[in-house]
Amino acid sequence: MFTLRSVHSRKSQSNELLLLENERVAVADLLQYLESKSAGHRGYRRSLTLHTIDRTTTNFFSGSPLSALTTLSFSDNVDLQRSAALAFAEITEKEVRPVGRDTLDPILFLLSSHDTEVQRAASAALGNLAVNTDNKLLIVKLGGLEPLIRQMLSPNVEVQCNAVGCVTNLATHDDNKTKIAQSGALVPLTRLARSKDMRVQRNATGALLNMTHSDENRQQLVNAGAIPVLVSLLNSQDTDVQYYCTTALSNIVVDATNRKKLAQTEPKLVSSLVQLMDSPSLKVQCQAALALRNLASDEKYQLEIVKADGLSSLLRLLQSAYLPLILSAAACVRNFSIHPQNESPIIESGFLQPLINLLSFKDNEEVQCHAISTLRNLAASSEKNKLAIVKAGAIQSIKELVLEVPMNVQSEMTACIAVLALSDELKCQLLEVGICEVLVLLTNSPSSEVQGNSAAALGNLSSKDVRATSDDYSAFNNVWGQPDGGMHQYLHRFLTSPDATFQHIAVWTIDKLLKSNGTCSMPFIL
């Protein structure tokens, strides 16, 4: 039962009696729907539990039930405030729906109470309601952030936990993120991310993660000192904290200025992320690889990932059966394969065959793009690497797949062939495989990139610095008139193209074929 206390206010005695009578009526009304029980509930010492018979028939968000709760909420009697707050917490735990100001105003009033019990229950109720999209916006619009920030500064762990949890929910809506960043909430959130209480730490790091989805908010987080906290928590024993921090850092390092800052202040970042790629949690492994991918946009990190022994873990992820892991690992390897010093270590670590296998990964176009782009990067500056890639069967796979894959993948595949065709030692092998047949077809692709790459590959195959009498150019003769008009139609299209680059490629290719020591006998009637 509720225990009523005397009301202390500056109102006249008659008003006090009237208010007290209103409270008595409210208690009587509320007791029709609730029974008071002594039970633990999400950190509160007691809660008001809905009668089973009324649970599905009573609407506590309008009418007399809400009116009764509102009266108790605005009472000067702290016991009545506690009862109202606990009732709101219990009700919103069982049901969440869009609510109006008439529901939120009493909860926000309770949130500003000096009583710890009221604070805990009110912030829990608000956090429950903040799961709903409409409520998220209205809570912030009605000024809910200010009392929540005060509660985050509370010495009481339960109050901190519920307040931060509510902010975490509010921060999932894009329209709230900037308002939260400008409200002064980031500094206490960053401080609470170091809390010894794991629930507080999870909520705080989750809130920080939710704030990393825009450039402006990321900068606000950096200014609030979040980076060293997030980096230190990568070594947390809690999987959720690891995931939140890894994902937050992955978002933060999208910005070049933040990568530069991290390079100067966080020397253990890469090694920590490399270790997390071996986490028992798949989602942590995935986010660690994505964070490393974003870091590998910079040359310094491209080298550092290899030096930190990231290759072995990435190779394992690349051969996983779990698509998100494959995708994140392939994207990461693609980025740091850009650096010439990483080409040989990647090949020597056994990446070639898994990358070639991923060319046929038809379930995901992005995986195919990452794989073929990596092969092209690996071939870029080393004759030895080009030979290794061809020996591993890359050209055969490309020839079999290139006409069937999406256009973006075609573009990357033809670009890779063009790079491999720069090798004098490989030209004959590539021609013997019959690569000209597919390249000629692709010079008429709807994509100008595919057209240009295919033509460049044919030009590279026709060009040789030192020619020998044994050089065989019959592959060009075989495709002069077919398929699809063959070399003849391709050269004609490019010579008459309004694109000067296409004209140049055609003229250059014809010139090289004319210098083929007579082994190319195509009739140049264009």
Side-chain angles (χ1 to χ4, degrees), residues 138-190:
L138 187 55
I139 289 169
V140 174
K141 182 179 180 181
L142 295 178
L145 290 176
E146 184 178 346
L148 286 170
I149 292 172
R150 287 199 301 269
Q151 289 198 10
M152 285 195 290
L153 301 174
S154 168
N156 185 284
V157 171
E158 300 295 340
V159 172
Q160 293 174 0
C161 186
N162 290 344
V164 177
C166 184
V167 174
T168 302
N169 288 343
L170 295 175
T172 59
H173 199 296
D174 288 342
D175 290 351
N176 285 342
K177 295 182 193 298
T178 299
K179 294 176 183 177
I180 292 172
Q182 295 173 348
S183 71
L186 297 185
V187 171
L189 280 173
T190 300

Side-chain angles (χ1 to χ4, degrees), residues 27-94:
V27 169
D29 287 345
L30 198 57
L31 283 175
Q32 295 179 32
Y33 312 111
L34 303 173
E35 66 178 2
S36 180
K37 291 186 177 181
S38 177
H41 176 69
R42 290 184 62 180
Y44 339 125
R45 288 193 294 271
R46 58 184 181 173
S47 67
L48 293 169
T49 306
L50 299 180
H51 279 297
T52 303
I53 191 171
D54 290 322
R55 185 173 299 170
T56 58
T57 59
T58 303
N59 178 7
F60 290 89
F61 300 105
S62 65
S64 59
L66 178 58
S67 178
L69 283 171
T70 301
T71 298
L72 301 185
S73 298
F74 287 104
S75 170
D76 290 337
N77 186 318
V78 70
D79 284 338
L80 297 184
Q81 288 187 348
R82 288 176 183 172
S83 298
L86 290 166
F88 273 123
E90 182 73 15
I91 292 162
T92 57
E93 175 70 17
K94 298 178 185 302

Side-chain angles (χ1 to χ4, degrees), residues 271-490:
S271 59
S272 295
L273 290 171
V274 167
Q275 290 176 12
L276 288 177
M277 286 196 292
D278 294 321
S279 165
S281 167
L282 292 178
K283 66 179 184 179
V284 173
Q285 292 179 38
C286 184
Q287 288 302 323
L290 289 174
L292 288 169
R293 175 200 66 179
N294 290 340
L295 287 172
S297 299
D298 289 354
E299 182 177 286
K300 173 188 182 299
Y301 285 115
Q302 291 167 2
L303 293 171
E304 193 172 338
I305 292 168
V306 175
K307 290 179 182 177
D309 196 27
L311 290 177
S312 57
S313 296
L314 284 165
L315 181 60
R316 178 180 57 78
L317 300 188
L318 203 65
Q319 299 175 90
S320 163
Y322 183 49
L323 174 57
L325 284 182
I326 299 170
L327 184 56
S328 58
C332 184
V333 175
R334 175 182 183 173
N335 273 13
F336 68 75
S337 68
I338 294 171
H339 201 293
Q341 292 182 33
N342 287 339
E343 292 174 12
S344 294
I346 293 171
I347 291 176
E348 291 164 4
S349 296
F351 276 81
L352 284 185
Q353 199 57 58
L355 287 168
I356 292 171
N357 293 342
L358 290 179
L359 297 182
S360 58
F361 197 86
K362 297 180 181 179
D363 293 339
N364 190 280
E365 174 182 340
E366 198 173 348
V367 168
Q368 292 176 300
C369 278
H370 289 322
I372 188 61
S373 295
T374 303
L375 290 171
R376 184 188 65 187
N377 291 339
L378 296 177
S381 61
S382 167
E383 188 78 5
K384 177 183 176 182
N385 292 344
K386 290 182 177 68
L387 295 172
I389 291 168
V390 172
K391 184 177 180 180
I395 289 297
Q396 288 88 341
S397 293
I398 291 172
K399 182 190 174 187
E400 292 171 5
L401 295 167
V402 70
L403 296 179
E404 302 174 2
V405 296
M407 200 170 292
N408 287 337
V409 184
Q410 284 184 341
S411 179
E412 296 288 349
M413 284 184 168
T414 49
C416 183
I417 297 171
V419 172
L420 293 170
L422 291 170
S423 169
D424 279 359
E425 190 172 345
L426 288 174
K427 294 182 194 294
C428 289
Q429 292 185 49
L430 299 183
L431 292 172
E432 288 171 2
V433 170
I435 200 67
C436 286
E437 296 175 13
V438 295
L439 290 174
V440 165
L441 286 171
L442 291 171
T443 60
N444 200 24
S445 166
S447 165
S448 59
E449 285 190 7
V450 175
Q451 289 181 43
N453 291 342
S454 301
L458 286 167
N460 289 343
L461 288 169
S462 69
S463 171
K464 201 168 184 182
D465 292 336
V466 180
R467 298 184 181 273
T469 55
S470 59
D471 289 342
D472 184 4
Y473 280 73
S474 61
F476 293 100
N477 296 331
N478 295 338
V479 295
W480 176 248
Q482 60 180 354
D484 195 26
M487 289 283 292
H488 179 271
Q489 286 297 319
Y490 141 58

Side-chain angles (χ1 to χ4, degrees), residues 477 480-481 485-493 495-496 510 513-514 520-526:
N477 296 331
W480 176 248
M487 289 283 292
H488 179 271
Q489 286 297 319
Y490 141 58
L491 291 170
H492 183 271
R493 280 196 311 274
L495 286 172
T496 57
I510 293 171
L513 291 173
L514 290 172
C520 179
S521 57
M522 295 182 292
F524 284 101
I525 303 174
L526 301 173

